Each structure stands twice: as C-alpha cells, then as structure tokens.
C-alpha cells in the first residue's frame, strides 16, 4: 500500500484530521461516473429513443460535474436496473440521475416516458406524479413538464437569492428540508422510494406512511446539536447526507436506522424524540457512506473470506466486512459523543454512559479482528487508525501526495 492509499484511509476513517475536499470530491464523482458508464452501456439501445437522455448521461460521464450533481440515491437504482436488466427501471433511474444533475448545474434539455406513473424530485420539490417528464435548464431557470392521468403540468423554477432555498417554483409541492453548510437535506415522502428499486434495501425498515412535514423536531435538533457540540462531525454529516427517509420500526421506542449500500446520500431514521440519539444516527449513517465510498477504491477484507465473526452491535454473527463497517460507524459515534461530552456540560453524563457501552463493544471487535489475516492491508490500516483515535494514541500524518493525473 502506498502513502496516497494510506492518506485516503486516514481521511475516510474519521474527521480527526484535516480533510482534503478535492480528493473526496474526485473519488465520489469518479465512482458515480463509473457506475453510469456501465449503466449506459447496458441500456443505451433502450434509452436512445428518449430525447437527449443518452447525450446528457454521456456528458455527465465525460465532464467534471459538481459533486452534488451526481451524489444521490439514483446510483443504487442504476445498480439495481443493471443487475436485473430491467429497462423500465432503467428509465426511472436515468430520470433520477438527470434531475439531480439538472438541479445542480448541468444545463440543457431532455425528455423521457415511463411504463407506469412515478414520483420524482426537483431539488426539494415533489413533482406531480407522471408517466412523461421533460426538463430544460437554461442559466438560472428551469422548465419541468410532467404528464400523467391525462393531465399536463408545467413547473417553472428559478434560482433563489436565498441560497438556503436553492430553487423556487410556481408549482409542485415543497418538501420539508433543512439547510446545512453543504446544501439542503430533504425529507422524503412515502411513495418516492420503492424499496424493490434499491439495490440491497434493508428489509426491516419501511418508510413512514405519510409525508413528514414539518421536519421532525428531534431531527432538526440533532443537526443543531452537531453544529454546537462538534463542528467536525457536523461537516462529516453534511458532506454526504442529502436525503432522509423517516422510517417505521417494528419495535416501539426502538431506535433503528439504515443505509442502502449504493444509495448515495440517503439515510433512513426512526422517528424518535431523543435529540442526542438522532444526532448519533446521523453520524452513524454518514460513516456508512464514507465506508462504502472507500470500499469502491479497494477491498478492506479478503474477498475469499467466508468466516463469520461476532458483531456485538447487532449481537449476531456476520461476515468480516460488515463487522468492520459497523466498527467504523460506531467508532465515529463514540468520537462524536466524546466531542459532545466535552463541549456541552448538560450532555456530559449521558454521553459518558453511552461512550462506556460503545467502547466495550469496540474493544470486543478489536480483539476479534486485530491481526486477522482476512483483513487486507487497507483494512488493517483502517482498524489501527481508528483504534489510535479511540484510545488517544498520537498518529502520524502521512505527507500529502498529488492526485494521479
């Protein structure tokens, strides 16, 4: 492993050290472009009849789009459509990709028809249910035409002077959202997500039965708590979390969350009133986004490994990669609680109690996997880096190397 790879592991492990935004952006954009290239090669013939669609996808693949223009759950839909060779789902995926891109600076026009009506987003606006969609973006304005159930609707958007609002329109339905330093976090209504369209959906989480509006007070409080107690974890979350689906849990008063592996920027959260728990959930789900993106660069676990290890977090036996992913997430939760404990006296006792419980589980994992021959050199570095931070051991910052090319 060279120093540039070690640097990636350090920066994607936790936000304890300076973060190279350009490096992160390059990794994220190049990953999505690679997914879209495979997707388009699979469905080019089916999408050629959709005006401007293949051309816009090719533009995203070959240009240098903004990170926000490509970082969306649509990546998972593209994966799913490709794995199933489902041309109907491919059209939905293409529309989701292009709507995200158009709302974040990719100019031009395109149109597409669907086999059955569906719901789509323009930034934080829910468009009318439709089986036809036409989008044209020019400068600071955009025209979105939808057709469905025999009716046509046209929504005109313009960029707002208030950056928090991003876009304002004369139609559609504004969804509940929160402003962060990296853009809005949008709360998704039921119906916008079809779990079967997502690749690797966590089956015991189901989206809430209605649109959550206004934003659940505890979730809004969680974002504020992150800002006031730990600026580095506030940034850790806002950098990657773009959409939240408030989910139901089978067990009452049981905090549950989830992240679909390739649904970039999407987090599922149980609707609870505990602000600290919701902040913890945001850190946890953001960490899974970082771990997923890091895993696209190279494996952290021997792919041939089929051994099971005990996960004290889930209290079940799991494959090593899932155990490592959980270790990474809970280590960051522990570090967030440490920041919160030190910054806010009112949270000192509860954070100390949670840290004690989490640290016991983290040590259990370390005893199982430290030195495991099933970890790749990358996996070993990741565990050692987090362990040093957890146990307050000094780390040596690798010298920064230029990006390839």
């Amino acid at each position: 492993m060279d120093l540039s790879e070690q640097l990636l592991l350090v920066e994607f492990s936790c936000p304890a050290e300076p973060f190279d935004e350009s490096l992160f952006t390059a990794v994220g954009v190049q990953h999505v472009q690679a997914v879209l290239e495979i997707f388009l090669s699979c469905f080019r013939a089916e999408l050629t009849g959709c005006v401007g669609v293949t051309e816009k996808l090719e533009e995203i693949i070959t240009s240098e789009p903004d990170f926000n223009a490509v970082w969306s759950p649509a990546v998972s839909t593209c994966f799913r459509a490709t794995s199933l060779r489902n041309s109907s789902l491919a059209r939905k995926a293409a529309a989701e990709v292009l709507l995200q891109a158009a709302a974040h600076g990719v100019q031009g026009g395109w149109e597409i028809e669907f086999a059955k009506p569906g719901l789509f987003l323009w930034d934080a606006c829910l468009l009318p249910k439709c089986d036809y969609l036409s989008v044209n973006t020019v400068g600071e304005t955009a025209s979105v035409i939808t057709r469905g159930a025999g009716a046509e609707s046209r929504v005109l958007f313009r960029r707002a002077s208030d950056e928090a609002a991003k876009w304002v329109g004369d139609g559609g339905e504004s969804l509940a959202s929160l402003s962060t330093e990296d853009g809005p976090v949008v709360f998704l209504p039921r119906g916008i997500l079809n779990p079967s369209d997502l690749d690797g959906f966590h089956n015991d989480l189901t989206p809430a039965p209605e649109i959550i509006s206004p934003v659940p007070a505890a979730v809004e409080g969680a974002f504020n708590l992150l800002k006031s107690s730990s600026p580095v974890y506030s940034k850790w979350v806002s950098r990657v979390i773009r959409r939240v689906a408030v989910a139901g849990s089978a067990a009452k008063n049981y905090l549950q969350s989830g992240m679909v592996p390739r649904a970039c920027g999407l987090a599922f959260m149980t609707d609870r009133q505990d602000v600290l728990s919701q902040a913890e959930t945001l850190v946890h789900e953001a960490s899974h986004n970082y771990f997923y993106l890091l895993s696209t660069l190279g494996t952290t676990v021997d792919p041939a490994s089929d051994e099971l290890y005990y996960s004290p977090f889930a209290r079940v036996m799991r494959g090593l990669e899932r155990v490592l992913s959980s270790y990474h997430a809970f280590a960051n939760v522990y570090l967030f609680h440490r920041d919160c404990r030190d910054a806010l006296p009112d949270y000192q006792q509860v954070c100390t109690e949670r840290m004690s419980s989490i640290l016991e589980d983290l040590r259990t994992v370390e005893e199982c996997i430290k030195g495991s021959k099933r970890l790749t050199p990358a996996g070993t570095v990741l565990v050692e880096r987090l362990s040093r931070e957890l146990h307050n051991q000094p780390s040596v910052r690798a010298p920064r190397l230029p990006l390839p090319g």
Side-chain angles (χ1 to χ4, degrees):
M1 184 191 307
D2 62 27
L3 287 176
S4 61
E5 290 173 320
Q6 291 188 43
L7 179 62
L8 281 170
L9 289 166
V10 167
E11 296 191 348
F12 282 60
S13 63
C14 64
E17 299 181 68
F19 199 92
D20 188 333
E21 297 290 345
S22 63
L23 178 65
F24 173 78
T25 297
V27 172
V29 170
Q30 288 171 17
H31 166 62
V32 176
Q33 288 175 321
V35 172
L36 292 180
E37 190 169 7
I38 296 170
F39 172 77
L40 185 55
S41 67
C42 182
F43 295 107
R44 182 180 297 276
E46 289 88 342
L47 296 174
T48 297
C50 305
V51 177
V53 168
T54 58
E55 291 82 358
K56 280 293 149 193
L57 290 173
E58 287 174 339
E59 179 182 335
I60 295 170
I61 292 168
T62 58
S63 64
E64 297 182 2
D66 181 78
F67 175 79
N68 288 320
V70 297
W71 188 251
S72 87
V75 178
S76 182
T77 314
C78 290
F79 260 101
R80 184 72 170 165
T82 303
S83 64
L84 296 177
R85 295 297 192 268
N86 185 323
S87 58
S88 177
L89 184 57
R91 290 192 173 218
K92 178 178 184 290
E96 290 176 350
V97 168
L98 295 181
L99 281 166
Q100 178 78 12
H104 290 87
V106 177
Q107 303 279 296
W110 50 272
E111 59 184 80
I112 192 168
E113 292 186 49
F114 311 102
K116 58 182 180 180
L119 291 172
F120 298 92
L121 293 184
W122 174 275
D123 200 37
C125 180
L126 180 66
L127 299 174
K129 195 170 188 177
C130 63
D131 52 26
Y132 168 86
L133 184 59
S134 172
V135 174
N136 190 39
T137 307
V138 180
E140 302 299 299
T141 63
S143 170
V144 179
I145 298 174
T146 62
R147 293 178 194 154
E152 180 174 293
S153 174
R154 185 182 184 193
V155 184
L156 295 175
F157 291 100
R158 67 183 185 281
R159 287 196 182 275
S161 56
D162 177 9
E163 180 65 19
K166 197 71 173 178
W167 291 92
V168 292
D170 60 0
E173 179 179 356
S174 295
L175 296 175
S177 64
L178 284 170
S179 297
T180 74
E181 57 187 303
D182 289 284
V185 176
V186 180
F187 288 77
L188 301 181
R190 188 173 181 85
I192 195 70
L193 287 177
N194 180 358
S196 65
D197 292 345
L198 298 174
D199 192 49
F201 180 78
H202 199 246
N203 291 326
D204 54 1
L205 285 170
T206 56
E210 57 188 18
I211 294 176
I212 303 298
S213 184
V215 175
V219 181
E220 184 172 14
F223 277 94
N224 292 332
L225 179 62
L226 285 165
K227 289 180 184 178
S228 61
S229 66
S230 181
V232 292
Y233 273 105
S234 178
K235 181 65 176 179
W236 180 259
V237 169
S238 69
R239 189 185 284 117
V240 295
I241 298 298
R242 294 290 180 272
R243 295 177 185 174
V244 170
V246 178
S249 172
K252 190 176 181 180
N253 296 325
Y254 176 62
L255 184 67
Q256 205 174 21
S257 65
M259 179 256 181
V260 179
R262 285 163 281 274
C264 303
L266 171 64
F268 289 87
M269 300 174 64
T270 305
D271 187 13
R272 287 281 304 278
Q273 299 307 307
D274 182 349
V275 171
L276 182 61
S277 292
Q278 295 292 40
E280 174 182 317
T281 297
L282 287 169
V283 171
H284 185 109
E285 298 311 320
S287 299
H288 281 325
N289 273 264
Y290 288 98
F291 186 88
Y292 163 66
L293 193 53
L294 181 60
S295 70
T296 67
L297 297 172
T299 180
T300 54
V301 173
D302 179 359
S305 173
D306 58 2
E307 297 176 9
L308 297 179
Y309 295 75
Y310 178 66
S311 171
F313 313 110
R315 290 169 173 73
V316 296
M317 302 297 288
R318 282 183 167 171
L320 182 54
E321 186 174 41
R322 289 195 68 182
V323 173
L324 183 57
S325 173
S326 295
Y327 175 82
H328 174 255
F330 279 99
N332 278 286
V333 168
Y334 175 92
L335 296 173
F336 157 67
H337 280 305
R338 190 170 71 185
D339 286 354
C340 189
R341 178 202 64 186
D342 295 343
L344 303 176
D346 289 347
Y347 285 89
Q348 187 173 42
Q349 181 176 348
V350 65
C351 285
T352 299
E353 291 172 354
R354 294 190 184 189
M355 287 168 63
S356 178
S357 176
I358 294 170
L359 187 59
E360 183 178 345
D361 289 341
L362 292 171
R363 283 173 171 161
T364 298
V365 173
E366 287 178 1
E367 290 172 2
C368 291
I369 68 176
K370 258 190 172 182
S372 170
K373 294 181 180 179
R374 295 301 187 182
L375 289 175
T376 65
T380 298
V381 169
L382 185 65
V383 172
E384 290 178 348
R385 174 65 190 88
L386 285 168
S387 182
R388 283 198 303 271
E389 189 64 32
L390 291 170
H391 305 297
N392 293 311
Q393 298 175 24
S395 63
V396 178
R397 178 71 171 172
R400 183 162 306 285
L401 299 179
L403 284 171

